[in-house]
Structures are given as C-alpha cells and as structure tokens.
Amino acid sequence: MNESLTVAGAQAPAVWDLLPAEQQPQWGAHPDLPQVRRTLREAPALTSAEDVRTLRRQLAEVALGRARLLQAGDCAEDIRVCGAADTAAKAELLADLAGRMAAHTGQPVVRIGRMGGQFAKPRSRPTETTHDGLDLPVFRGHLVNSPEPNGQARRHDPNRMLQAYEASSAVLRALDEERTDAYGPWASHEALVMDYESPQVRRDPETGTPYLASTHLPWIGERTRQRGLAHVELLASVANPVACKVGPSATAEEVVRLCRVLDPNRLPGRLTLILRMGVRAPGLAIAPIAEAVQREGHPVVWLSDPLHGNTVQTASGIKTRRLSDAVDEAVAFRKALEQQGLHPGGLHLETAAADVTECLGGPVADERALSGRYESLCDPRLNPAQARELIDAVFS
Ligand code: PEP
Ligand code: CO
C-alpha cells in the first residue's frame, strides 16, 4: 500500500503541477490521460524511502571527498531491453568501470545506472524532416512515442507511461537483486514528464516527507533547470538526492540560485551538479561556478558529463562524439576542481553494454566504422572499451 500525497482521495494538484513545464508531451486531449495518472498514483512505489536515504548517505561520502561516483547508461533506454539479463549486463559494465575507477583513485565508487526510468528525452526541436521529406514530431523516448519514422509511431500516447512504468519496475527489481552493498547499483533518470513523475511522489512512512518513488536519483537537464518552473520545484520538494545538469551558458549566479533552491540546508549528498560544458567552452567555464558554489557553502557532488557538450555530426549526418574530446573535457574538469581544492566526484556517461560503434576513438577507428553497429535510440554511447579508456585516461 502506498500512501499518495493527495488527501483522502481528493486530487489536489501539487505546487509543481501548477507551474509551467518545458519539454512536455503533447498528449492532445487524449481521453486516457486521467486514468493513466490515476493508475500511476495507485501503483506500487518503485523505490523505497529507505533505499533513497541510503543512497543519499553514500553520496554524502562522495561530497565529502571520501568516495567517487560513476553514473552511466543509455541516453534513452529501450522498453524492449529491460529483462533481468539485460539489466544484469548493464550492472556488470557499471561494476567493471567502477572497479577501474576505484583501482585508480584508491576510493570506493558509488554505482548509479541511467536506467529503470530513462525513457523520456528533451529535444532541441519539436519536429524533424525525414529522408522522404516528411515532417514528423521527433522521437521523445519510449515513454512518449516510438522512433519509427511515421506519423502513427510518433504520436504522443499517455498509455506509454504505463508501459514505461512496467519496464522500470522490471529493471528496478533486477537492480535490487544485483545490489551487493550500499555502493549500488542504484537507479537514476531525468525527471522530465510531469504526468509520469508527479503521481509517483509518495510519503516516506518513517519521516512523513515526500520522496519521488520513480527512481533513487532523479536529475533535471540543461533544458528544464530554469528556476520557477515545474521541474525545479518538483526536485526541490522531494527528499531524494537530486542532480542537475549545468551547461556552458550557465552563469555562476544562476548555479548558486539553483543550489539555494535544491540544497537549502547545505546537506552533503543532497545535490549533484553534472557539468557538461563541451571541450570548446572557454576554460570549460568551471572555475567561476565551482568557486561560487564553494563560497556559498553547498557541499555538492561534482560530476563531469564529458559527452553532451561534445556531440558532432559527420559529413554524412551521423550524430557522434570523439573519445578524445571526452577525455580532454573530463581531465580539464578534474584539474579545475583540484586546483580549487575541491573533490572531482566522478563521471556521468552514456554507455552501452554491447560493443556498439556510435562514438569515434579506441576500437572505432574512423567515420566509416560508425555504420557497423549503431543502435542508440538517441545520443551516441561509448562502448565498454571506450569507457574503460576514458576512465584510465582521466584517473590514472
Ligand atoms: C541527457 O543526459 O541525455 C541529456 C539530454 O542531457 P542534457 O540535459 O545535459 O542535454
Ligand atoms: Co543523451
């Protein structure tokens, strides 16, 4: 039995439901939406408040400089690849990469998958033109629509939220089986679709405080982190450890304001800042932000996402990333923080457990090799060999 936040069955909207939200699906006036929200509200919590508390204590260790963090997985999970064996393979890669980080740094490594709910994507443009000149709504993740290039597949269907919930449930159960200790593996995803996340806010039976039961660590992205909008309010209102992406356009003042909202009590492990500046951002723009956050006394976890600022298109239009750019950005991140006397907590990566050929470098020698096994539903992921090479280059 899960106690929902609504009082005595009344469906009073939460604060975040009343605020404007970027990047939301256009369900139209789909007749199934109210029932889907109701089903999600009454469905079992996918994570326990106790587990969420445990993860926050582990992240406090990272914030205090006594441990590291590896957060990795698909850009967009595939709803059809959520069986126990699929999850075990992803957990195994996480463990392998974290083991490498631990060996290099001499510190324990908290393992968090981009999994068990990573089914919704923010997009820069609402539509795209196909090879046949067809204008279609873009693919927004299996929680919203389907990637096949036709109008029917791209329609936003709220019933997909229930499929995403079921797939997440399977992944989270499998992750529970894989969890050997408090270091993980834990689940995380971008909390993007309010109709999916909001009904999954529950009360911690012990403390009475709300927590988001759809995952252990929700994050908000570069496109939804504006203050005063629904996503920030949602994350500010729940007890989970939370994370926020920070891109090259963010000013130090903006980040400090976000810290005040998301970490008002200056609690170690509460807030993780994921820097994704791009290797070409001037000085990676990290120093002034790190300095300002430190001055304000927010004991955040500092993570580097060295991929999202470094996406490029080949001449033939394939979306890719260079391993060398990722190495350069992550090394610069580490140095910038260490120079400031801060702890480079770790990495946030897009990885595949299979030997895909989506990023350039290591075993993927040139652009021609990209066509070998390019399977990502969204952004290009590092394959295991590339991810190992990155970790060795950054931490050894
Ligand atoms: C992502 O992590 O897949 C993503 C969309 O990131 P960002 O918000 O940093 O662009
Ligand atoms: Co991505």
Side-chain angles (χ1 to χ4, degrees), residues 54-118:
T54 302
L55 175 57
R56 202 173 70 193
R57 280 197 297 276
Q58 294 307 104
L59 292 179
E61 290 296 299
V62 183
L64 297 171
R66 301 195 284 250
R68 307 273 176 159
L69 169 58
L70 175 70
Q71 185 180 14
D74 295 309
C75 179
E77 275 178 293
D78 187 329
I79 224 160
R80 300 158 303 186
V81 188
C82 290
D86 304 311
T87 300
K90 294 175 187 183
E92 194 183 327
L93 174 64
L94 263 180
D96 174 57
L97 298 176
R100 253 178 141 84
M101 255 174 89
H104 289 313
T105 61
Q107 292 189 312
V109 177
V110 181
R111 312 188 298 281
I112 306 182
R114 283 176 63 112
M115 57 201 290
Q118 181 54 19

Side-chain angles (χ1 to χ4, degrees), residues 75 114 121-122 190 219 221-223 245 276 308 350 379:
C75 179
R114 283 176 63 112
K121 300 308 301 173
E190 176 169 357
W219 82 81
E222 177 62 6
R223 297 163 187 79
K245 294 280 199 94
R276 31 88 85 222
H308 280 91
E350 287 184 343
D379 291 337

Side-chain angles (χ1 to χ4, degrees), residues 27 31 70 77 85 90 102 106 119 167 183 192 216 227 231 258 276 284 297 303 317 319 346 356 396:
W27 308 121
L70 175 70
E77 275 178 293
K90 294 175 187 183
F119 292 112
Y183 289 98
L192 184 72
H216 301 113
R227 268 186 348 141
H231 296 92
L258 261 169
R276 31 88 85 222
L284 289 174
L303 274 198
K319 203 153 70 148
V356 298
S396 65

